[in-house]
Amino acid sequence: MRGLGTRTVLYQQHVAASLGLYNNDLKSVDILRETGPITAGELSKITGLATGSVTALIDRLEKVGYVRRQNDPADRRRVILVPSYEQKQEVGQTYLPLHNAFVELASAYSDDELELIMQFIGQASSILDEQIHHLSAARGKSPHEPHH
């Protein structure tokens, strides 16, 4: 699992570089894909980045069209980050070879085997979320956990 995690991190770094993004920027885009619109403060808690770093990150992502700021209809003082990268064709094109390779890999398994694999991946993700929470709590942070 650690080997898979390392390769996933390395892959994401290469994807970020190919899109002209910093790794934390791409990680934040992926978090927004999972969570949907959230505040800058929530993104700061999830990523563990300081508020100033998140503001600069949002400025960069907004400039290249990956997010947009929107006033919170419930509280006009708050700003919500709305993902807008789905219209970015280069994102889909970058991930397409990986998607196709995984579809081909999955075709070698039965429906029952795939169900078991998906169950394992879901549970492994939950364990990682718990461990992230414990590590953050030990550092005095309280992360918002993304939904899976």
Side-chain angles (χ1 to χ4, degrees):
M1 288 301 293
R2 280 182 65 186
L4 178 61
T6 299
R7 280 155 190 80
T8 301
V9 168
L10 292 172
Y11 176 79
Q12 286 299 96
Q13 288 173 344
H14 285 276
V15 168
S18 76
L19 293 170
L21 298 173
Y22 294 107
N23 198 43
N24 279 334
D25 295 8
L26 181 63
K27 186 172 31 175
S28 296
V29 167
D30 283 343
I31 289 167
L32 284 170
R33 183 184 56 77
E34 284 186 29
T35 63
I38 58 174
T39 67
E42 289 169 322
L43 183 60
S44 177
K45 287 178 187 171
I46 294 169
T47 60
L49 297 172
T51 309
S53 297
V54 168
T55 301
L57 180 151
I58 295 164
D59 289 343
R60 288 191 303 271
L61 290 176
E62 190 173 43
K63 184 178 177 183
V64 295
Y66 283 78
V67 301
R68 62 184 169 79
R69 290 175 165 102
Q70 175 180 306
N71 287 334
D72 184 343
D75 182 350
R76 303 293 286 168
R77 295 166 296 176
R78 285 181 9 147
V79 173
I80 296 176
L81 306 175
V82 179
S84 57
Y85 55 85
E86 291 297 344
Q87 301 99 5
K88 300 292 231 173
Q89 188 175 357
E90 67 265 23
V91 175
Q93 291 300 313
T94 301
Y95 282 106
L96 190 59
L98 178 67
H99 171 79
N100 291 340
F102 276 128
V103 167
E104 184 178 335
L105 174 64
S107 71
Y109 294 90
S110 71
D111 288 348
D112 286 346
E113 289 170 327
L114 289 172
E115 190 174 320
L116 179 63
I117 291 167
M118 291 304 298
Q119 182 182 16
F120 177 84
I121 290 172
Q123 290 174 349
S125 293
S126 293
I127 289 170
L128 286 168
D129 283 340
E130 290 169 15
Q131 294 303 310
I132 290 166
H133 178 76
H134 291 309
L135 289 169
S136 294
R139 290 190 351 251
K141 305 215 181 234
S142 62
H144 172 275
E145 297 190 358
H147 302 290
H148 294 285

